[in-house]
């Protein structure tokens, strides 16, 4: 153990938190693109069958299942003059940007089969390169502070910028880019492939900048971070045994499966978000853009609420209470429309009701995600007591995998829902029947509620609280003083 890490300040400076958090803009843009734009772009604009898009994402997830734990374990044991994490962060910047650019610029006049392989290859590449950056980068959080409350503060910056980055691109798409790509032949720029090509350029540049700014802004921490274990011969068998040993705890299993269910629900909601906005509610690009602007305020709700909840009622209890409020409220507007309680889409009330409900609900969901991620960070010391190894990379590789896998499975579910309800690829706004839209809401609401409520039940099995975390720190301090 690096002795300087033990005495490292428990409260990183605001500048360090900002630099650490800003790095998640790259993941936020990628996540927003995959959740909100990828399915509608390839299915409705390019014309690729929605189920083929879902299949490509599912296959890419299998590759993720291998790359995530390998990168996490590798970064825990990596030795360099720049420490364990930063070499990965710097190395990923250019590949992330290039692969994301090409995802939004598919060749024209290709067959469905060719486009399927194109989406599949680019999905695997961007997910792998994001893993190489995101896992070592997020793994810095438990090293930056051991304090129970401060960890929620540090991680809140990460989630704040992740949501802000993805949401800023959504605002730009609907307020600026889509309106700029309206033509005589295409009255809604949302259905113009050139708009997505332009998005690919801007988003790729922003992802590159976010990664480099975060890596450079946290570079000064390198001398204070944990050193890797002594050199040893690592075999695949040893690697997977140690990964399993590190993650084999009831609390981690509860968080893992709860978070997986949560991100599946998020992927489902994200994959259908613009379908609901465009077809179900009949909003135009400017209205969707205004909702995205208001969701920016949601990020501030999460940023300030999560540390407050941690200090007052604790992470687990806070996650359950906040989660129940958020996840019951999330599908409420759609449920009310399915039961014909709301007025028609021509009523101004509809837009403002959806806007306000979405803004509050997203803020609560962000708060929940911060609390769950901070709970993962607290398991690092518990695992260290058990194994004698610092394994931040493995834990945050698991969280990176959960996010990508959950969202990916959710998007696959979204494409399946579209197939079940009969919403055809290439359909324009106003071309979808009222019966199809009713079926969309009637299938979505019970499915999303089942995922959210099961997640809350599973997370209740998490056991580590503030007292347990402080006891783990005390035991580690005693062990260090004896060595």
């Amino acid at each position: 153990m690096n002795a300087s890490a033990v005495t490292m300040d428990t409260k990183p400076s605001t500048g360090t938190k900002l630099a650490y958090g800003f790095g998640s803009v790259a993941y936020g843009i990628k996540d927003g693109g995959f959740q909100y734009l990828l399915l509608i772009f390839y299915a409705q604009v390019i014309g690729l069958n929605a189920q083929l898009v879902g299949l490509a994402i599912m296959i890419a997830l299998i590759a993720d299942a291998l790359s995530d734990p390998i990168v996490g374990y590798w970064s825990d044991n990596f030795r360099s003059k720049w420490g364990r994490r930063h070499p990965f962060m710097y190395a990923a910047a250019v590949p992330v940007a290039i692969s994301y650019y090409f995802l939004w610029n598919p060749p024209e006049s290709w067959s469905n089969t060719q486009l399927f392989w194109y989406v599949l290859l680019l999905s695997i590449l961007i997910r792998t390169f994001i893993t190489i950056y995101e896992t070592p980068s997020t793994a810095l959080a438990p090293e930056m502070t051991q304090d129970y409350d401060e960890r929620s503060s540090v991680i809140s910056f990460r989630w704040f910028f992740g949501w802000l980055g993805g949401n800023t691109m959504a605002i730009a798409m609907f307020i600026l880019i889509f309106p700029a790509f309206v033509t005589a032949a295409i009255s809604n720029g949302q259905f113009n492939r050139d708009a997505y090509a332009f998005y690919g350029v801007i988003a790729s540049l922003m992802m590159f900048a976010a990664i480099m700014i975060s890596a450079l802004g946290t570079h000064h921490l390198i001398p204070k971070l944990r050193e890797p274990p002594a050199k040893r011969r690592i075999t695949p068998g040893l690697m997977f045994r140690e990964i399993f040993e590190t993650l084999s705890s009831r609390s981690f299993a509860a968080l893992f499966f709860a978070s997986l269910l949560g991100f599946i629900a998020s992927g489902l909601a994200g994959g259908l978000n613009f379908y609901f906005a465009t077809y179900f509610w009949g909003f135009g690009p400017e209205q969707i853009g205004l909702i995205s602007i208001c969701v920016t305020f949601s990020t501030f709700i999460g940023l300030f609420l999560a540390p407050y909840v941690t200090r007052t009622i604790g992470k687990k209890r806070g996650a359950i209470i906040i989660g129940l409020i958020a996840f019951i409220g999330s599908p409420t507007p759609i449920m009310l429309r399915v039961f014909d309680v709301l007025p028609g889409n021509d009523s101004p009330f509809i837009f403002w009701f959806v806007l306000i409900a979405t803004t509050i609900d997203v803020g609560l969901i962000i708060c929940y995600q911060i609390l769950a991620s901070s709970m993962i960070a607290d398991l690092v010391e518990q695992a260290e007591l058990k194994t004698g190894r610092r394994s931040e990379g493995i834990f945050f590789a698991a969280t990176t995998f959960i996010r990508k896998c959950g969202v990916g499975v959710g998007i696959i579910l979204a494409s399946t829902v579209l197939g079940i309800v009969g919403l055809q690829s290439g359909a324009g706004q106003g071309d979808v029947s009222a019966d199809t839209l009713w079926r969309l809401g009637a299938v979505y609401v019970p499915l999303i509620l089942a995922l959210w409520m099961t997640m809350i039940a599973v997370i209740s099995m998490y056991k580590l609280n503030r007292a347990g975390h402080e006891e783990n720190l005390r035991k580690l301090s005693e062990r260090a003083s004896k060595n």
Side-chain angles (χ1 to χ4, degrees):
M1 185 187 302
N2 185 355
S4 62
V6 176
T7 59
M8 187 175 178
D9 292 340
T10 59
K11 292 189 176 182
S13 69
T14 301
T16 300
K17 291 181 185 179
L18 288 171
Y20 170 75
F22 191 73
S24 66
V25 167
Y27 193 95
I29 292 174
K30 172 262 164 191
D31 216 26
F34 269 73
Q35 283 195 63
Y36 304 128
L37 300 175
L38 189 68
L39 184 58
I40 200 169
F41 171 58
Y42 275 96
Q44 307 305 130
V45 180
I46 301 301
L48 179 62
N49 182 277
Q51 281 68 51
L52 286 178
V53 180
L55 178 61
I57 293 171
M58 181 178 68
I59 296 173
L61 291 177
I62 298 173
D64 263 347
L66 294 175
S67 67
D68 284 317
I70 291 173
V71 170
Y73 186 87
W74 188 11
S75 74
D76 282 338
N77 292 274
F78 192 76
R79 306 182 70 88
S80 80
K81 65 179 181 180
W82 285 352
R84 299 188 293 170
R85 316 295 182 190
H86 283 76
F88 293 89
M89 297 163 66
Y90 288 119
V94 172
V96 163
I98 291 176
S99 57
Y100 199 71
Y101 165 80
F102 279 107
L103 182 66
W104 302 100
N105 287 269
E108 297 187 32
S109 303
W110 274 23
S111 67
N112 267 5
T113 301
Q114 290 171 315
L115 285 170
F116 165 76
W117 286 106
Y118 186 86
V119 175
L120 174 60
L121 176 63
L122 267 299
S123 295
I124 291 174
L125 286 176
I126 184 62
R127 286 177 179 276
T128 301
F129 292 137
I130 277 288
T131 295
I132 292 172
Y133 163 69
E134 183 70 7
T135 295
S137 180
T138 54
L140 290 173
E143 297 188 76
M144 290 167 63
T145 179
Q146 295 179 327
D147 185 79
Y148 183 83
D149 295 323
E150 189 64 17
R151 278 184 173 169
S152 289
S153 176
V154 170
I155 291 173
S156 69
F157 279 82
R158 192 82 185 180
W159 283 93
F160 169 78
F161 279 108
W163 275 86
L164 187 66
N167 198 57
T168 298
M169 285 307 307
I171 294 170
M173 287 295 281
F174 286 96
I175 297 294
L176 301 174
I177 297 176
F178 285 149
F181 282 87
V182 171
T183 67
I186 305 175
S187 60
N188 186 339
Q190 191 175 350
F191 297 93
N192 188 335
R193 67 177 290 152
D194 292 338
Y196 295 88
F198 183 74
Y199 159 80
V201 174
I202 302 301
S204 299
L205 291 174
M206 287 183 64
M207 293 169 81
F208 174 81
I211 292 172
M212 292 304 298
I213 289 172
S214 184
L216 292 169
T218 56
H219 194 96
H220 69 282
L221 295 177
I222 292 174
K224 300 179 180 180
L225 300 177
R226 302 276 178 163
E227 293 179 351
K231 285 185 178 181
R232 56 196 176 127
R233 183 174 179 270
I234 298 175
T235 64
L238 175 65
M239 178 180 67
F240 284 104
R241 280 197 304 273
E242 290 189 352
I243 290 174
F244 179 79
E245 182 185 18
T246 298
L247 301 180
S248 59
S249 75
R250 179 177 176 178
S251 289
F252 174 77
L255 271 181
F256 181 91
F257 288 109
S259 298
L260 183 61
L261 289 166
F263 283 115
I264 290 173
S266 294
L268 172 63
L272 295 178
N273 181 63
F274 291 140
Y275 280 89
F276 277 108
T278 303
Y279 299 105
F280 193 85
W281 300 116
F283 296 152
E286 291 81 5
Q287 289 175 301
I288 298 174
L290 183 56
I291 292 174
S292 298
I293 290 174
C294 289
V295 168
T296 300
F297 293 101
S298 304
T299 62
F300 288 93
I301 295 175
L303 176 67
F304 295 109
L305 183 59
Y308 174 78
V309 169
T310 298
R311 291 192 303 270
T312 54
I313 61 176
K315 298 175 186 179
K316 173 185 171 179
R317 184 182 299 176
I320 292 174
I321 294 173
I322 295 293
L324 283 172
I325 297 171
F327 303 143
I328 292 174
S330 177
T332 295
I334 298 169
M335 182 170 59
L336 293 177
R337 168 51 55 82
V338 167
F339 286 106
D340 201 25
V341 175
L342 296 178
N345 287 345
D346 55 346
S347 170
F349 169 81
I350 291 297
F351 172 71
W352 293 108
F353 177 58
V354 173
L355 182 148
I356 293 170
T358 300
T359 302
I360 295 173
D361 192 66
V362 170
L364 295 176
I365 290 173
I366 293 172
C367 176
Y368 170 86
Q369 291 174 331
I370 292 170
L371 294 172
S373 187
S374 186
M375 289 157 72
I376 284 280
D378 293 338
L379 293 175
V380 170
E381 285 80 18
Q382 186 177 75
E384 185 181 5
L385 273 175
K386 175 184 175 182
T387 67
R389 298 184 302 272
R390 292 289 297 189
S391 302
E392 298 93 344
I394 293 177
F395 277 105
F396 282 88
T399 61
T400 302
F401 171 73
I402 292 167
R403 289 176 70 181
K404 291 188 295 183
C405 178
V407 169
V409 171
I411 295 172
I412 294 168
L413 269 181
S415 67
T416 303
V417 168
L418 294 176
I420 291 172
V421 304
L423 202 159
Q424 298 297 316
S425 298
Q429 190 176 34
D431 295 339
V432 181
S433 70
D435 287 343
T436 299
L437 294 177
W438 186 90
R439 287 195 300 270
L440 179 62
V443 172
Y444 171 79
V445 169
L447 181 56
I448 197 80
L449 279 176
L451 288 167
W452 288 135
M453 295 303 103
T454 305
M455 182 199 70
I456 293 295
V458 173
I459 204 171
S460 66
M461 293 185 286
Y462 179 89
K463 296 299 181 184
L464 185 60
N465 56 18
R466 180 191 300 274
H469 174 68
E470 292 175 351
E471 177 65 11
N472 288 338
L473 293 179
R474 185 190 64 78
K475 290 179 179 177
L476 285 173
S477 179
E478 288 181 356
R479 179 187 293 179
S481 66
K482 294 176 182 178
N483 293 336

